[in-house]
Amino acid sequence: MIEYSEFVRLSRSHDSDERGHAAHLAALAFLDHEGPADEHAALYASLINFLDDPSVKVRAALAYGLLHSEQAPRPIMMALLQDSPIISRAILQYSPILIDADLFNAIRKGDAAIWLSVAQRAQLSMRVATLLIERDEPGLVLHMLRRTEISLDASLLVRLAATHGMDAKVRGALLARPDLPGPARLILVQRVTEALRETRIVAGALAPERLERLLRNGSDTALSAIGEAEAYLRKREFVQTLVGSSQLNARILLHALVTGHVMFFASCIAELSGATREKVFTLLESGSRSALSALLLRADVSTALGKVLVQLVLHARTADLADDTAARHFVVTALIEELIAEYDGVIPEELEETFAYLSEQNIALARKAARGVMRVFAATTHLPMLVPPSDNSLPLQLPAA
């Protein structure tokens, strides 16, 4: 606290530092004032007078005193918002007085520095965040995506995945968001696949055909896993997007069942057939062969493919395809043998792609299952492995009984 005469002296000083000190004191006194109304009015008038001070240091001191308070006078804060950039940016970043309409106006009229100041506010609404992202400034977009506490509209995230998905940093920020919708996640998987295909170290390490198989299988598995998560949350948009863009095909339906993503498979069939998810689940769990065939026919699945899917569903009822690689391998092997036996080794043209997929999966699953067996064997066996001797080796000693 200082005497009034001293405050007047500081206010009229030729030294901008002293006037700035007076402005800051007036701001604090106004915010803490609990006395008569005429004193409060006098303090308010002094704040107005400091707005006209020719020194930016004085006006900045005034702004600093009012910056974080919800009781700061709005007319004064709005005047400071139109002041020099160093003051206006501070008001935009910290003042709780500003509402969305004020921020909208600043964003539309401002430059990158103004946008960054708004983006660094402690709290932002979805509307303000969206407007900032729509400025399409790379650093700003990345900053806003990393603020995962701010919810963003699903359609905006899908659009960003489509337009910025090839940028690894943006892709990482999108994938880290808990509100990322399934369609956007699928687009990012496709962008990752494209990036891997074009990476020299990857392309040089694998033969083109094998690389294509691995990428295709990985993409199918990712798509199916995303669909399973969306189905678990009872969201239809992901499957609707697949159906609407003609991305849902026989390979995806087969892969969903083979990988144990039954909820995703059920959602696909429900969307294609127009049946409820509950009815589809009931039929998948306990429906007869004829009932399953009728459901798939209603979903516009061909009769030949429908028979394969029905047989796969029946096998899946007795095996844990989601977590047991050996069970997957057994089921796929059995299905291949049944197809060969049914058609006497001459697979119909309409099932050639399906048969090729099953054969491809059979090889991959056999490798995975074998690696699992060897790990278990190595962990539980302490006997030496018997290796046939070469001509130059000594006879092997059999382990003692």
Side-chain angles (χ1 to χ4, degrees):
M1 298 295 294
I2 63 172
E3 293 183 355
Y4 178 70
S5 59
E6 177 63 11
F7 174 76
V8 172
R9 187 192 70 77
L10 291 173
S11 301
R12 296 176 178 176
S13 172
H14 294 293
D15 186 345
S16 61
D17 287 336
E18 291 189 338
R19 296 199 310 277
H21 183 48
H24 189 67
L25 289 174
L28 297 180
F30 177 86
L31 296 176
D32 294 337
H33 185 267
E34 296 179 354
D38 57 344
E39 286 185 1
H40 197 256
L43 286 169
Y44 181 75
S46 69
L47 298 184
I48 295 291
N49 289 332
F50 283 120
L51 287 176
D52 296 325
D53 195 287
S55 172
V56 69
K57 292 170 62 177
V58 175
R59 302 194 303 275
L62 174 64
Y64 180 71
L66 301 171
L67 196 58
H68 299 282
S69 175
E70 295 181 357
Q71 282 72 46
R74 179 174 169 81
I76 292 178
M77 300 307 289
M78 295 307 295
L80 291 170
L81 183 60
Q82 301 171 22
D83 210 301
S84 64
I86 192 172
I87 296 176
S88 62
R89 290 199 297 266
I91 299 295
L92 284 170
Q93 182 172 346
Y94 296 110
S95 177
I97 294 298
L98 302 184
I99 62 175
D100 280 1
D102 303 323
L103 300 177
F104 291 154
N105 187 55
I107 292 170
R108 293 188 178 107
K109 294 181 178 180
D111 55 13
I114 293 295
W115 302 339
L116 183 59
S117 298
V118 176
Q120 291 175 332
R121 288 178 68 88
Q123 294 182 339
L124 286 176
S125 68
M126 180 188 293
R127 293 176 61 200
V128 174
T130 299
L131 187 60
L132 285 170
I133 289 174
E134 289 175 346
R135 300 302 95 184
D136 203 27
E137 202 279 322
L140 185 62
V141 170
L142 186 60
H143 176 80
M144 295 309 302
L145 288 176
R146 286 174 173 168
R147 293 193 61 175
T148 55
E149 80 280 5
I150 303 174
S151 297
L152 296 175
D153 186 72
S155 61
L156 173 63
L157 293 173
V158 172
R159 188 165 72 250
L160 288 173
T163 56
H164 295 74
M166 290 306 294
D167 185 320
K169 291 182 179 179
V170 174
R171 191 166 61 235
L174 282 167
L175 289 171
R177 293 191 62 87
D179 57 348
L180 186 68
R185 198 172 293 276
L186 176 60
I187 292 172
L188 294 178
V189 167
Q190 295 168 346
R191 297 293 183 269
V192 170
T193 302
E194 294 168 9
L196 284 173
R197 184 181 287 112
E198 295 173 3
T199 302
R200 291 180 61 185
I201 190 171
V202 175
L206 298 170
E209 291 184 1
R210 186 181 179 193
L211 174 61
E212 195 60 35
R213 283 198 305 271
L214 288 173
L215 293 177
R216 183 172 62 243
N217 190 64
S219 297
D220 290 344
T221 302
L223 185 154
S224 185
I226 294 169
E228 185 77 355
E230 294 289 296
Y232 179 79
L233 297 174
R234 304 187 69 83
K235 295 181 178 180
R236 297 179 56 191
E237 293 81 1
F238 182 73
V239 172
Q240 289 175 336
T241 299
L242 291 178
V243 173
S245 58
S246 300
Q247 296 184 66
L248 190 59
N249 52 38
R251 182 185 178 91
I252 291 175
L253 292 176
L254 285 164
H255 200 75
L257 281 177
V258 168
T259 53
H261 295 140
V262 181
M263 294 181 71
F264 172 54
F265 177 79
S267 295
C268 293
I269 297 303
E271 189 67 32
L272 291 170
S273 65
T276 63
R277 279 167 42 102
E278 291 72 17
K279 182 178 181 180
V280 173
F281 272 123
T282 300
L283 289 173
L284 291 178
E285 289 178 353
S286 56
S288 64
R289 185 184 295 271
S290 59
L292 289 171
S293 298
L295 174 65
L296 294 174
L297 192 60
R298 182 177 171 184
D300 203 25
V301 176
S302 67
T303 303
L305 177 60
K307 289 176 65 177
V308 176
L309 291 174
V310 167
Q311 195 64 24
L312 191 50
V313 169
L314 296 177
H315 280 302
R317 289 176 180 174
T318 60
D320 179 14
L321 300 184
D323 300 311
D324 192 339
T325 302
R328 289 188 206 172
H329 176 49
F330 172 78
V331 168
V332 171
T333 300
L335 197 56
I336 290 173
E337 291 175 352
E338 289 166 5
L339 283 172
I340 294 174
E342 181 178 357
Y343 295 104
D344 198 21
V346 183
I347 304 299
E349 184 177 350
E350 59 183 321
L351 287 180
E352 286 180 353
E353 185 177 348
T354 298
F355 189 79
Y357 164 79
L358 292 172
S359 299
E360 176 185 313
Q361 285 297 309
N362 203 28
I363 297 171
L365 291 171
R367 286 174 171 162
K368 289 182 180 179
R371 284 195 292 268
V373 170
M374 290 304 297
R375 279 196 298 269
V376 172
F377 180 81
T380 59
T381 301
H382 303 288
L383 296 177
M385 182 175 290
L386 301 181
V387 180
S390 64
D391 292 339
N392 298 324
S393 65
L394 293 174
L396 289 175
Q397 297 295 321
L398 294 176

